[in-house]
Amino acid sequence: MTAELAARLPDRFWSVPYVGARFPGSPAVAERPDLAEGANCQVFAYAVLRHFGLEPPALRSSDLWADTAATARVTVARPLDLLFFNATDDAYGAHVGVWAGPDQVLHLCAEAGRPAVWPLSAFADRPRYRTLIGVKLVTAVGARRSSRG
């Protein structure tokens, strides 16, 4: 997300509280899909991508990592790509963030409580996020197509 893309992210995104029970497929998200009730990392990241015209599938981390229908694994992150972090290289339960530019990952986690932008080193310094599993490009585009960067 270049500076101009970050500036286009509405203020409402920056005040979303972390709520672990609001994950893709949860009854809470099905009943109230907007961010006003909070989100986990995946729901937040997917909302950011949808804001910029991408259509990520509403999958949990390991299912999204395995997906090839709407996403593709890439070796170099570009703005709006999804990054997966965990204590190991296992995608099950992985933390998901959005590449926001050189050495910047936009994400929502319990530790920060609200959306934050961290450098990759901040993830590497935390045992639960120390392993960058990989990067996924969302290939499904919605009605509002946007620049990736």
PDB file of all heavy atoms in Angstrom, residues 5-17 35-36 44 48 51-52 106 114-115:
ATOM      1  N   LEU A   5      -2.390   5.081  -1.205  1.00  0.00           N
ATOM      2  CA  LEU A   5      -3.383   4.056  -0.861  1.00  0.00           C
ATOM      3  C   LEU A   5      -3.703   4.088   0.632  1.00  0.00           C
ATOM      4  O   LEU A   5      -4.851   3.965   1.027  1.00  0.00           O
ATOM      5  CB  LEU A   5      -2.905   2.667  -1.279  1.00  0.00           C
ATOM      6  CG  LEU A   5      -2.888   2.385  -2.773  1.00  0.00           C
ATOM      7  CD1 LEU A   5      -2.275   1.025  -3.050  1.00  0.00           C
ATOM      8  CD2 LEU A   5      -4.285   2.463  -3.352  1.00  0.00           C
ATOM      9  N   ALA A   6      -2.688   4.238   1.471  1.00  0.00           N
ATOM     10  CA  ALA A   6      -2.910   4.319   2.914  1.00  0.00           C
ATOM     11  C   ALA A   6      -3.791   5.516   3.246  1.00  0.00           C
ATOM     12  O   ALA A   6      -4.668   5.431   4.105  1.00  0.00           O
ATOM     13  CB  ALA A   6      -1.585   4.412   3.653  1.00  0.00           C
ATOM     14  N   ALA A   7      -3.578   6.613   2.564  1.00  0.00           N
ATOM     15  CA  ALA A   7      -4.385   7.809   2.798  1.00  0.00           C
ATOM     16  C   ALA A   7      -5.833   7.588   2.396  1.00  0.00           C
ATOM     17  O   ALA A   7      -6.730   8.240   2.930  1.00  0.00           O
ATOM     18  CB  ALA A   7      -3.796   8.989   2.045  1.00  0.00           C
ATOM     19  N   ARG A   8      -6.078   6.664   1.453  1.00  0.00           N
ATOM     20  CA  ARG A   8      -7.447   6.384   1.015  1.00  0.00           C
ATOM     21  C   ARG A   8      -8.160   5.373   1.906  1.00  0.00           C
ATOM     22  O   ARG A   8      -9.342   5.115   1.707  1.00  0.00           O
ATOM     23  CB  ARG A   8      -7.439   5.887  -0.426  1.00  0.00           C
ATOM     24  CG  ARG A   8      -7.013   6.964  -1.398  1.00  0.00           C
ATOM     25  CD  ARG A   8      -7.179   6.628  -2.855  1.00  0.00           C
ATOM     26  NE  ARG A   8      -7.295   5.245  -3.199  1.00  0.00           N
ATOM     27  CZ  ARG A   8      -6.587   4.627  -4.140  1.00  0.00           C
ATOM     28  NH1 ARG A   8      -5.675   5.302  -4.806  1.00  0.00           N
ATOM     29  NH2 ARG A   8      -6.785   3.377  -4.423  1.00  0.00           N
ATOM     30  N   LEU A   9      -7.470   4.812   2.882  1.00  0.00           N
ATOM     31  CA  LEU A   9      -8.101   3.883   3.803  1.00  0.00           C
ATOM     32  C   LEU A   9      -8.923   4.704   4.802  1.00  0.00           C
ATOM     33  O   LEU A   9      -8.376   5.538   5.516  1.00  0.00           O
ATOM     34  CB  LEU A   9      -7.042   3.051   4.528  1.00  0.00           C
ATOM     35  CG  LEU A   9      -7.514   1.791   5.216  1.00  0.00           C
ATOM     36  CD1 LEU A   9      -8.155   0.819   4.232  1.00  0.00           C
ATOM     37  CD2 LEU A   9      -6.357   1.111   5.928  1.00  0.00           C
ATOM     38  N   PRO A  10     -10.234   4.522   4.829  1.00  0.00           N
ATOM     39  CA  PRO A  10     -11.083   5.342   5.698  1.00  0.00           C
ATOM     40  C   PRO A  10     -10.713   5.227   7.182  1.00  0.00           C
ATOM     41  O   PRO A  10     -10.202   4.199   7.637  1.00  0.00           O
ATOM     42  CB  PRO A  10     -12.483   4.766   5.467  1.00  0.00           C
ATOM     43  CG  PRO A  10     -12.411   4.082   4.145  1.00  0.00           C
ATOM     44  CD  PRO A  10     -11.005   3.563   4.039  1.00  0.00           C
ATOM     45  N   ASP A  11     -10.980   6.279   7.915  1.00  0.00           N
ATOM     46  CA  ASP A  11     -10.682   6.331   9.346  1.00  0.00           C
ATOM     47  C   ASP A  11     -11.282   5.155  10.104  1.00  0.00           C
ATOM     48  O   ASP A  11     -10.691   4.676  11.060  1.00  0.00           O
ATOM     49  CB  ASP A  11     -11.192   7.634   9.955  1.00  0.00           C
ATOM     50  CG  ASP A  11     -10.390   8.844   9.510  1.00  0.00           C
ATOM     51  OD1 ASP A  11      -9.262   8.664   9.009  1.00  0.00           O
ATOM     52  OD2 ASP A  11     -10.899   9.972   9.668  1.00  0.00           O
ATOM     53  N   ARG A  12     -12.446   4.669   9.662  1.00  0.00           N
ATOM     54  CA  ARG A  12     -13.116   3.586  10.386  1.00  0.00           C
ATOM     55  C   ARG A  12     -12.255   2.326  10.467  1.00  0.00           C
ATOM     56  O   ARG A  12     -12.391   1.540  11.396  1.00  0.00           O
ATOM     57  CB  ARG A  12     -14.477   3.270   9.758  1.00  0.00           C
ATOM     58  CG  ARG A  12     -14.412   2.714   8.357  1.00  0.00           C
ATOM     59  CD  ARG A  12     -15.818   2.482   7.767  1.00  0.00           C
ATOM     60  NE  ARG A  12     -15.748   2.199   6.361  1.00  0.00           N
ATOM     61  CZ  ARG A  12     -15.514   0.992   5.840  1.00  0.00           C
ATOM     62  NH1 ARG A  12     -15.374  -0.044   6.637  1.00  0.00           N
ATOM     63  NH2 ARG A  12     -15.459   0.822   4.543  1.00  0.00           N
ATOM     64  N   PHE A  13     -11.353   2.142   9.528  1.00  0.00           N
ATOM     65  CA  PHE A  13     -10.466   0.978   9.580  1.00  0.00           C
ATOM     66  C   PHE A  13      -9.488   1.060  10.745  1.00  0.00           C
ATOM     67  O   PHE A  13      -9.108   0.046  11.311  1.00  0.00           O
ATOM     68  CB  PHE A  13      -9.676   0.834   8.264  1.00  0.00           C
ATOM     69  CG  PHE A  13     -10.456   0.183   7.167  1.00  0.00           C
ATOM     70  CD1 PHE A  13     -11.265   0.935   6.326  1.00  0.00           C
ATOM     71  CD2 PHE A  13     -10.391  -1.180   6.960  1.00  0.00           C
ATOM     72  CE1 PHE A  13     -11.982   0.348   5.305  1.00  0.00           C
ATOM     73  CE2 PHE A  13     -11.106  -1.785   5.939  1.00  0.00           C
ATOM     74  CZ  PHE A  13     -11.903  -1.017   5.111  1.00  0.00           C
ATOM     75  N   TRP A  14      -9.057   2.256  11.087  1.00  0.00           N
ATOM     76  CA  TRP A  14      -8.017   2.434  12.098  1.00  0.00           C
ATOM     77  C   TRP A  14      -8.528   2.274  13.524  1.00  0.00           C
ATOM     78  O   TRP A  14      -7.723   2.171  14.450  1.00  0.00           O
ATOM     79  CB  TRP A  14      -7.332   3.784  11.908  1.00  0.00           C
ATOM     80  CG  TRP A  14      -6.668   3.853  10.571  1.00  0.00           C
ATOM     81  CD1 TRP A  14      -7.123   4.509   9.461  1.00  0.00           C
ATOM     82  CD2 TRP A  14      -5.472   3.196  10.168  1.00  0.00           C
ATOM     83  NE1 TRP A  14      -6.273   4.302   8.400  1.00  0.00           N
ATOM     84  CE2 TRP A  14      -5.252   3.493   8.811  1.00  0.00           C
ATOM     85  CE3 TRP A  14      -4.555   2.367  10.823  1.00  0.00           C
ATOM     86  CZ2 TRP A  14      -4.156   3.016   8.104  1.00  0.00           C
ATOM     87  CZ3 TRP A  14      -3.462   1.892  10.112  1.00  0.00           C
ATOM     88  CH2 TRP A  14      -3.276   2.219   8.778  1.00  0.00           C
ATOM     89  N   SER A  15      -9.837   2.233  13.707  1.00  0.00           N
ATOM     90  CA  SER A  15     -10.391   2.093  15.060  1.00  0.00           C
ATOM     91  C   SER A  15     -11.006   0.711  15.319  1.00  0.00           C
ATOM     92  O   SER A  15     -11.631   0.503  16.344  1.00  0.00           O
ATOM     93  CB  SER A  15     -11.441   3.185  15.309  1.00  0.00           C
ATOM     94  OG  SER A  15     -12.506   3.046  14.375  1.00  0.00           O
ATOM     95  N   VAL A  16     -10.813  -0.223  14.424  1.00  0.00           N
ATOM     96  CA  VAL A  16     -11.381  -1.564  14.581  1.00  0.00           C
ATOM     97  C   VAL A  16     -10.699  -2.276  15.749  1.00  0.00           C
ATOM     98  O   VAL A  16      -9.471  -2.413  15.766  1.00  0.00           O
ATOM     99  CB  VAL A  16     -11.189  -2.407  13.293  1.00  0.00           C
ATOM    100  CG1 VAL A  16     -11.672  -3.832  13.492  1.00  0.00           C
ATOM    101  CG2 VAL A  16     -11.902  -1.749  12.123  1.00  0.00           C
ATOM    102  N   PRO A  17     -11.476  -2.741  16.730  1.00  0.00           N
ATOM    103  CA  PRO A  17     -10.857  -3.471  17.833  1.00  0.00           C
ATOM    104  C   PRO A  17     -10.589  -4.927  17.454  1.00  0.00           C
ATOM    105  O   PRO A  17     -11.317  -5.522  16.653  1.00  0.00           O
ATOM    106  CB  PRO A  17     -11.910  -3.400  18.944  1.00  0.00           C
ATOM    107  CG  PRO A  17     -13.207  -3.284  18.216  1.00  0.00           C
ATOM    108  CD  PRO A  17     -12.903  -2.507  16.950  1.00  0.00           C
ATOM    109  N   LEU A  35     -17.054  -4.279  10.227  1.00  0.00           N
ATOM    110  CA  LEU A  35     -15.943  -4.187  11.171  1.00  0.00           C
ATOM    111  C   LEU A  35     -16.301  -3.501  12.484  1.00  0.00           C
ATOM    112  O   LEU A  35     -15.501  -3.520  13.419  1.00  0.00           O
ATOM    113  CB  LEU A  35     -14.775  -3.437  10.522  1.00  0.00           C
ATOM    114  CG  LEU A  35     -14.121  -4.103   9.323  1.00  0.00           C
ATOM    115  CD1 LEU A  35     -13.043  -3.194   8.744  1.00  0.00           C
ATOM    116  CD2 LEU A  35     -13.556  -5.457   9.698  1.00  0.00           C
ATOM    117  N   ALA A  36     -17.480  -2.906  12.574  1.00  0.00           N
ATOM    118  CA  ALA A  36     -17.845  -2.148  13.769  1.00  0.00           C
ATOM    119  C   ALA A  36     -17.819  -3.001  15.031  1.00  0.00           C
ATOM    120  O   ALA A  36     -17.539  -2.493  16.123  1.00  0.00           O
ATOM    121  CB  ALA A  36     -19.230  -1.521  13.588  1.00  0.00           C
ATOM    122  N   PHE A  44     -10.092  -8.532   9.262  1.00  0.00           N
ATOM    123  CA  PHE A  44      -9.585  -7.187   9.026  1.00  0.00           C
ATOM    124  C   PHE A  44      -8.839  -7.091   7.693  1.00  0.00           C
ATOM    125  O   PHE A  44      -9.105  -6.213   6.873  1.00  0.00           O
ATOM    126  CB  PHE A  44      -8.671  -6.742  10.171  1.00  0.00           C
ATOM    127  CG  PHE A  44      -8.077  -5.392   9.932  1.00  0.00           C
ATOM    128  CD1 PHE A  44      -8.839  -4.244  10.118  1.00  0.00           C
ATOM    129  CD2 PHE A  44      -6.765  -5.256   9.503  1.00  0.00           C
ATOM    130  CE1 PHE A  44      -8.296  -2.985   9.876  1.00  0.00           C
ATOM    131  CE2 PHE A  44      -6.215  -4.008   9.261  1.00  0.00           C
ATOM    132  CZ  PHE A  44      -6.978  -2.876   9.451  1.00  0.00           C
ATOM    133  N   VAL A  48      -9.763  -4.817   4.271  1.00  0.00           N
ATOM    134  CA  VAL A  48      -8.853  -3.868   3.631  1.00  0.00           C
ATOM    135  C   VAL A  48      -8.755  -4.173   2.141  1.00  0.00           C
ATOM    136  O   VAL A  48      -8.896  -3.284   1.293  1.00  0.00           O
ATOM    137  CB  VAL A  48      -7.455  -3.893   4.289  1.00  0.00           C
ATOM    138  CG1 VAL A  48      -6.441  -3.094   3.457  1.00  0.00           C
ATOM    139  CG2 VAL A  48      -7.526  -3.351   5.707  1.00  0.00           C
ATOM    140  N   HIS A  51     -11.848  -3.221   0.283  1.00  0.00           N
ATOM    141  CA  HIS A  51     -11.932  -1.767   0.109  1.00  0.00           C
ATOM    142  C   HIS A  51     -11.208  -1.335  -1.167  1.00  0.00           C
ATOM    143  O   HIS A  51     -11.631  -0.402  -1.839  1.00  0.00           O
ATOM    144  CB  HIS A  51     -11.349  -1.042   1.323  1.00  0.00           C
ATOM    145  CG  HIS A  51     -11.306   0.438   1.142  1.00  0.00           C
ATOM    146  ND1 HIS A  51     -12.437   1.228   1.224  1.00  0.00           N
ATOM    147  CD2 HIS A  51     -10.275   1.272   0.832  1.00  0.00           C
ATOM    148  CE1 HIS A  51     -12.102   2.487   0.989  1.00  0.00           C
ATOM    149  NE2 HIS A  51     -10.805   2.541   0.748  1.00  0.00           N
ATOM    150  N   PHE A  52     -10.137  -2.019  -1.511  1.00  0.00           N
ATOM    151  CA  PHE A  52      -9.358  -1.678  -2.696  1.00  0.00           C
ATOM    152  C   PHE A  52      -9.726  -2.522  -3.914  1.00  0.00           C
ATOM    153  O   PHE A  52      -8.974  -2.562  -4.890  1.00  0.00           O
ATOM    154  CB  PHE A  52      -7.865  -1.767  -2.387  1.00  0.00           C
ATOM    155  CG  PHE A  52      -7.406  -0.653  -1.475  1.00  0.00           C
ATOM    156  CD1 PHE A  52      -7.085  -0.914  -0.160  1.00  0.00           C
ATOM    157  CD2 PHE A  52      -7.330   0.651  -1.937  1.00  0.00           C
ATOM    158  CE1 PHE A  52      -6.676   0.116   0.688  1.00  0.00           C
ATOM    159  CE2 PHE A  52      -6.933   1.680  -1.105  1.00  0.00           C
ATOM    160  CZ  PHE A  52      -6.605   1.412   0.215  1.00  0.00           C
ATOM    161  N   LEU A 106       0.490  -3.958   7.484  1.00  0.00           N
ATOM    162  CA  LEU A 106      -0.718  -3.505   8.161  1.00  0.00           C
ATOM    163  C   LEU A 106      -1.425  -4.743   8.689  1.00  0.00           C
ATOM    164  O   LEU A 106      -1.656  -5.696   7.950  1.00  0.00           O
ATOM    165  CB  LEU A 106      -1.629  -2.763   7.170  1.00  0.00           C
ATOM    166  CG  LEU A 106      -3.035  -2.422   7.641  1.00  0.00           C
ATOM    167  CD1 LEU A 106      -3.011  -1.457   8.821  1.00  0.00           C
ATOM    168  CD2 LEU A 106      -3.855  -1.862   6.479  1.00  0.00           C
ATOM    169  N   ARG A 114      -5.607  -2.641  18.168  1.00  0.00           N
ATOM    170  CA  ARG A 114      -6.146  -1.865  17.037  1.00  0.00           C
ATOM    171  C   ARG A 114      -5.219  -2.075  15.845  1.00  0.00           C
ATOM    172  O   ARG A 114      -4.082  -2.505  16.007  1.00  0.00           O
ATOM    173  CB  ARG A 114      -6.203  -0.375  17.366  1.00  0.00           C
ATOM    174  CG  ARG A 114      -7.061  -0.023  18.558  1.00  0.00           C
ATOM    175  CD  ARG A 114      -8.506   0.094  18.196  1.00  0.00           C
ATOM    176  NE  ARG A 114      -9.293   0.498  19.363  1.00  0.00           N
ATOM    177  CZ  ARG A 114     -10.533   0.145  19.549  1.00  0.00           C
ATOM    178  NH1 ARG A 114     -11.156  -0.587  18.648  1.00  0.00           N
ATOM    179  NH2 ARG A 114     -11.196   0.527  20.613  1.00  0.00           N
ATOM    180  N   PRO A 115      -5.648  -1.728  14.649  1.00  0.00           N
ATOM    181  CA  PRO A 115      -4.766  -1.873  13.489  1.00  0.00           C
ATOM    182  C   PRO A 115      -3.439  -1.147  13.699  1.00  0.00           C
ATOM    183  O   PRO A 115      -3.386  -0.076  14.309  1.00  0.00           O
ATOM    184  CB  PRO A 115      -5.574  -1.245  12.356  1.00  0.00           C
ATOM    185  CG  PRO A 115      -6.992  -1.469  12.777  1.00  0.00           C
ATOM    186  CD  PRO A 115      -6.986  -1.263  14.271  1.00  0.00           C
TER     187      PRO A 115
END
